[in-house]
C-alpha cells in the first residue's frame, strides 16, 4: 500500500528549530515533485515549500530564508528543516506528492498533488 507518513512535529519556543520528516511507503515518491503544506484551524491549506526530482526547490515568501526543504531518495524521505520559528508558523504540516517529476509554476497548488500524509502538528509558543 502506498502512503506518506509525517513525523517529527511538536512544540518549540519562538526562535527555535524543528525538523519534520515525510517517509514514503510503497513507492518512490521522492522521485517526483513533493511539497510541504500547512493549515491552521479554520484556515486554508497553504504551500510552504516544494522540491522536484533533481532537487530544485520553491518556497513561500513567509518561510524563505528560514525553512529548508530537502530529501533523501535512498530513504524515500523528505524533510523540512525549520529555523527561527515564529508563533504564526503554528499549524498542521502535511507532506504531499505529485505524479510529475517537476513542480513548475503550480508547485503551490493544493489540487496539483495527489497523495497526502495525515499531517503533524507544529506548535510555536512561549
Amino acid at each position: 500500500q502506498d502512503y506518506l507518513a509525517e513525523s517529527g512535529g511538536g512544540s518549540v519556543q519562538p526562535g527555535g528549530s524543528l525538523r519534520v520528516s515525510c517517509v514514503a511507503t510503497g513507492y518512490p515518491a521522492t522521485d517526483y515533485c513533493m511539497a510541504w503544506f500547512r493549515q491552521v484551524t479554520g484556515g486554508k491549506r497553504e504551500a510552504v515549500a516544494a522540491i522536484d526530482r533533481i532537487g530544485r526547490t520553491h518556497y513561500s515568501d513567509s518561510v524563505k530564508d528560514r525553512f529548508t526543504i530537502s530529501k533523501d531518495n535512498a530513504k524515500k524521505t523528505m524533510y523540512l528543516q525549520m529555523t527561527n520559528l515564529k508563533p504564526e508558523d503554528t499549524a498542521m504540516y502535511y507532506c504531499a506528492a505529485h505524479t510529475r517529476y517537476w513542480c513548475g509554476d503550480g508547485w503551490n497548488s493544493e489540487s496539483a498533488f495527489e497523495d497526502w500524509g495525515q499531517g503533524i502538528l507544529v506548535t510555536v509558543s512561549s
Side-chain angles (χ1 to χ4, degrees), residues 27 29 61 80 108 111-112 115:
Y27 75 113
D61 288 341
L80 184 68
N108 57 356
S111 62
D115 295 320

Side-chain angles (χ1 to χ4, degrees), residues 6 16 36 48 53 59 62 73 79 112 115 119:
E6 301 94 341
W36 287 98
V48 174
R53 179 180 178 87
Y59 294 94
S62 61
N73 289 338
Y79 305 97
D115 295 320

